[in-house]
Amino acid sequence: MGGRKAGIRAGAAISCVLLLGGCGGAGNNGSARHEPVTVAKAPAQLPVPRGKGSKSADDFNGDGLRDLVLNDLVKSPDDAHGDDAGIGIVYGTGTGTGAGTTHGLAPGARQLLNPARQAARTKGRSPAVFDAEASCDLDRDGFTDLVVSTDPPYDGQGRPPVPLQILFGSPAGLTGRAVRLVIPAAARAGNDWPDQPVCGDFDGDGAEDLVVHASDGRLSYLRGPFTRKGAPRAAGKPLPSPGSVPTGPALDVNRDGYDDLLVRTAEGPATSALVLGGPAGPTRTGTALPSGIDVAFGPFGRGRALDAAVGSMDGTSLRYDLPTAVRDSISTPGSVLDAGDFDGDGVSELVSSGAELRILRGRTTGLSATGMVTVPPPARGTTRVLTVADFTGDGRADLVVRTYDGETKDTVAVYAGSKEALVTAKPTVTFSTSEFLGMNS
């Protein structure tokens, strides 16, 4: 299977930023260093806060605060080559009372989704693979659901089984056992694995739909809402597509009330094109984008329509004012991109990562490398951006990165958005995914 890991930043992913931006403020100086948190230093496990339902993204317990999904948890040094430990969830919480209440990710409020406990079994056997792929409220109950990828048995003959499962959110978070995603036979094409799910309201009816890879040049379009047994409200014949790799998150590029979809021609460096949503779903091919490793979207200048930035080893190229084909470019190292409104002024910054992690300022005239902020890594190792999102509810995006030091050590760090400096000079939250080792969910 070739499923990408949505919700966790991965190569050839896209970043969606609709009302995000930033400019002004001094850059970060210094080089904060933090050793990875060990299990002994891990905060005591806290109960998952109970919610009543919300419309917030990635809010599995419905308390109005965004939660963080983590794939590829580090392994114990004694079992470095063992099976995948599962999926880690860190919940957002509020601390304090009244005007002194603060919100954000709390490493103590963590949950391990283990395939032995949470995955649907096939022929009495739990899957060995259990990776988060996409998240949205599929059944419209106010709690975000998680689409995961598994490895069901397949003998290589005929059409493979559906590897995708759904974990439904609840007031207590992602509890219970997953159900298999139902893809009607008429909605499939060819004998490819039906994977690479992308959530979005592609037909504008207010319910989240799923788009899934069907075969080269075809997508399975599953209309929501979904039942608790994993079945879509409707699914027609596979839709034609300009590529084979649907890539999330979806976004309404042309502001017509229908989510649109980026589809890449291949994984890794490749061209891509927007597929525009409408009453019949994502059926119209829109703007084509040049070859690159990653794509990020955002309003990178005041008053602009949504813009696209394409990252490659040669730098970053931009196509402004989507869905038209006006071109511009800015030269900056880094091929993996994300975007966010770190200072809350309505204009997006562009995050560019490679050998270093940099933030390009969004200005009224567009992106500028002048005053570019360099973010120090939280620890020694290889640093990658996990996500850019507002975890504190203050209207400013936060930057979440992960530094790897082999398969047994890592550091996840949250740099809070800052009106003055774009992001804080030092992480406001730091923890290791080793804290999930040995947990009982």
Side-chain angles (χ1 to χ4, degrees):
M1 287 182 298
R4 62 175 294 276
K5 297 178 179 179
I8 304 302
R9 289 293 301 174
I14 72 169
S15 169
C16 165
V17 186
L18 293 181
L19 294 174
L20 303 178
C23 63
N28 288 332
N29 296 314
S31 56
R33 293 283 183 179
H34 298 263
E35 290 301 316
V37 178
T38 64
V39 175
K41 298 177 183 177
Q45 189 170 354
L46 302 172
V48 174
R50 293 188 67 86
K52 297 181 179 180
S54 80
K55 294 184 179 180
S56 299
D58 289 345
D59 183 11
F60 304 108
N61 58 333
D63 64 349
L65 298 173
R66 184 185 289 261
D67 310 315
L68 179 67
V69 184
L70 296 158
N71 277 322
D72 299 321
L73 307 179
V74 297
K75 300 176 181 179
S76 166
D78 299 327
D79 190 27
H81 302 289
D83 290 339
D84 187 353
I87 302 165
I89 308 293
V90 177
Y91 287 88
T93 65
T95 58
T97 58
T101 301
T102 60
H103 301 91
L105 292 172
R110 59 188 183 269
Q111 179 185 28
L112 176 65
L113 305 177
N114 184 289
R117 292 187 294 269
Q118 271 81 34
R121 295 188 177 95
T122 300
K123 298 180 179 179
R125 189 174 69 184
S126 297
V129 173
F130 203 57
D131 287 335
E133 294 283 349
S135 58
C136 57
D137 185 2
L138 291 170
D139 59 351
R140 300 186 73 176
D141 65 351
F143 302 92
T144 302
D145 310 311
L146 187 66
V147 183
V148 300
S149 181
T150 67
D151 59 342
Y154 175 54
D155 62 6
Q157 302 298 314
R159 181 170 285 178
V162 176
L164 302 174
Q165 300 184 7
I166 303 172
L167 280 162
F168 288 100
S170 74
L174 293 167
T175 59
R177 194 170 289 276
V179 300
R180 297 180 185 85
L181 174 66
V182 177
I183 304 180
R188 298 186 61 176
N191 290 332
D192 287 359
W193 285 96
D195 56 9
Q196 298 154 340
V198 177
C199 290
D201 182 9
F202 301 107
D203 58 5
D205 66 352
E208 291 286 340
D209 313 313
L210 280 177
V211 166
V212 177
H213 166 77
S215 64
D216 286 342
R218 292 289 186 272
L219 299 174
S220 295
Y221 171 48
L222 311 177
R223 292 179 184 253
F226 288 70
T227 70
R228 299 289 293 212
K229 294 183 178 180
R233 175 176 62 85
K237 294 181 179 179
L239 301 177
S241 169
S244 60
V245 187
T247 308
L251 64 163
D252 184 1
V253 171
N254 53 4
R255 310 295 174 86
D256 63 352
Y258 304 97
D259 279 344
D260 310 310
L261 175 72
L262 183 77
V263 178
R264 301 175 65 85
T265 54
E267 295 194 28
T271 58
S272 57
L274 286 165
V275 178
L276 305 178
T283 59
R284 299 171 293 147
T285 299
T287 306
L289 298 175
S291 181
I293 297 173
D294 207 356
V295 180
F297 294 95
F300 296 123
R302 180 82 65 184
R304 291 185 180 273
L306 210 61
D307 312 320
V310 181
S312 67
M313 300 307 294
D314 298 326
T316 301
S317 63
L318 292 99
R319 182 182 292 251
Y320 281 118
D321 295 332
L322 292 173
T324 60
V326 178
R327 293 177 182 269
D328 197 357
S329 65
I330 186 168
S331 179
T332 179
S335 55
V336 180
L337 307 178
D338 215 314
D341 178 8
F342 293 108
D343 62 358
D345 71 346
V347 181
S348 294
E349 276 79 49
L350 181 68
V351 180
S352 176
S353 63
E356 288 189 303
L357 183 59
R358 300 174 174 88
I359 303 177
L360 281 73
R361 295 178 181 276
R363 301 190 184 278
T364 56
T365 55
L367 286 174
S368 172
T370 303
M372 180 169 54
V373 171
T374 300
V375 181
R380 286 174 290 185
T382 301
T383 299
R384 294 288 181 265
V385 176
L386 286 183
T387 190
V388 174
D390 181 6
F391 288 95
T392 60
D394 63 358
R396 295 190 291 267
D398 307 308
L399 174 64
V400 185
V401 304
R402 186 176 179 185
T403 297
Y404 300 83
D405 185 8
E407 292 188 343
T408 61
K409 292 182 180 180
D410 74 342
T411 300
V412 178
V414 181
Y415 295 83
S418 169
K419 184 177 181 179
E420 294 77 21
L422 298 186
V423 294
T424 52
K426 295 182 179 181
T428 54
V429 177
T430 308
F431 64 95
S432 169
T433 65
S434 63
E435 295 175 19
F436 292 94
L437 293 174
M439 278 187 59
N440 292 316
S441 60

